[in-house]
Amino acid sequence: MLQSGPAEEADLGGSSSIYGSTEKLSPASVNRILMEFLIYFGRAVVVFFPVYLTGYLGMSISWVLLCMVMVSWWKKNRQWKDARIGTAIEFVDNETQVINKELTNALQMASWVHFPDVEKVDWINKVLEQAWPFFGMYMEKLLRDNIQPAVRQSSPALKTFTFTKVHFGHVPLRITGMKVYTHEVDQREVILDMNV
């Protein structure tokens, strides 16, 4: 007679979980399992029936291969179309985010694009481009002849104040738009609001 040790008894107690559980399946899960099996069986019949039929009718296997090539081509084409449709649906779903992003980029445009009363002033930019070197010389003369003496006279601590070098750079000022106020001000005034 064989004696069983505690380890074998523990194994026998655990063997019930290997062969099955004591839980009962719900009718919904049984239906789901049956449907999965029927779908699997239906796919197998769909795949193997043409092969059986060609053999039964004595036809060449090349017909089956031709059908498989056509089906694989159709699936590849369908995946490409599904990817395009998916991209379009994603765009429609995120439309507000895309529009907000485009609007923030558009807000960095010139003001004459957004506001009809702001005028585009390319002619002023052309004049500034031609006059920019002379503007620098004029401003240097103005600062040295008028501003420098006024600053020296304003305080005894600034008696040695001087402009050593005045340079406005090689790139001229660029004006992107201009709005003119004539009706909101006095008749002898014109206010130019320039976007630099």
Side-chain angles (χ1 to χ4, degrees):
M1 182 166 168
L2 294 172
Q3 294 182 355
S4 62
E8 292 176 11
E9 288 176 6
D11 187 45
L12 290 175
S15 65
S16 64
S17 64
I18 294 173
Y19 295 112
S21 72
T22 58
E23 296 178 17
K24 292 196 175 198
L25 295 174
S26 67
S29 60
V30 170
N31 287 339
R32 184 179 51 82
I33 291 170
L34 283 175
M35 285 305 294
E36 286 177 5
F37 175 73
L38 288 175
I39 290 171
Y40 178 77
F41 183 73
R43 285 183 183 166
V45 167
V46 166
V47 168
F48 291 117
F49 182 72
V51 175
Y52 170 77
L53 191 61
T54 55
Y56 181 76
L57 296 175
M59 297 171 63
S60 173
I61 195 71
S62 61
W63 289 105
V64 175
L65 293 176
L66 178 66
C67 290
M68 289 175 61
V69 166
M70 289 176 58
V71 167
S72 64
W73 175 77
W74 178 80
K75 282 185 179 180
K76 182 180 177 185
N77 208 14
R78 188 69 197 163
Q79 287 174 349
W80 181 69
K81 286 181 183 177
D82 287 343
R84 282 191 345 196
I85 291 171
T87 305
I89 289 172
E90 182 180 342
F91 172 73
V92 169
D93 289 343
N94 299 329
E95 186 176 8
T96 56
Q97 293 174 354
V98 171
I99 290 173
N100 288 337
K101 180 181 170 188
E102 292 299 323
L103 281 177
T104 55
N105 291 342
L107 291 177
Q108 296 172 358
M109 291 180 155
S111 59
W112 56 268
V113 174
H114 298 292
F115 306 107
D117 56 346
V118 175
E119 298 177 22
K120 185 177 177 183
V121 284
D122 282 337
W123 63 273
I124 291 180
N125 290 326
K126 290 178 183 176
V127 169
L128 281 173
E129 187 176 343
Q130 294 293 320
W132 193 250
F134 305 108
F135 177 73
M137 288 189 279
Y138 172 76
M139 287 302 292
E140 184 176 4
K141 185 175 188 245
L142 176 73
L143 291 172
R144 285 203 175 136
D145 293 347
N146 296 342
I147 306 295
Q148 185 172 315
V151 170
R152 285 182 178 174
Q153 291 175 359
S154 68
S155 173
L158 298 173
K159 290 281 184 204
T160 59
F161 176 81
T162 183
F163 288 103
T164 56
K165 184 175 182 181
V166 179
H167 185 63
F168 285 94
H170 298 291
V171 179
L173 181 72
R174 180 149 182 82
I175 299 172
T176 58
M178 182 183 300
K179 183 174 182 180
V180 180
Y181 296 97
T182 55
H183 300 295
E184 297 88 3
V185 295
D186 189 22
Q187 289 182 346
R188 294 174 291 169
E189 287 182 327
V190 174
I191 298 177
L192 301 176
D193 186 10
M194 291 187 278
N195 297 327
V196 181

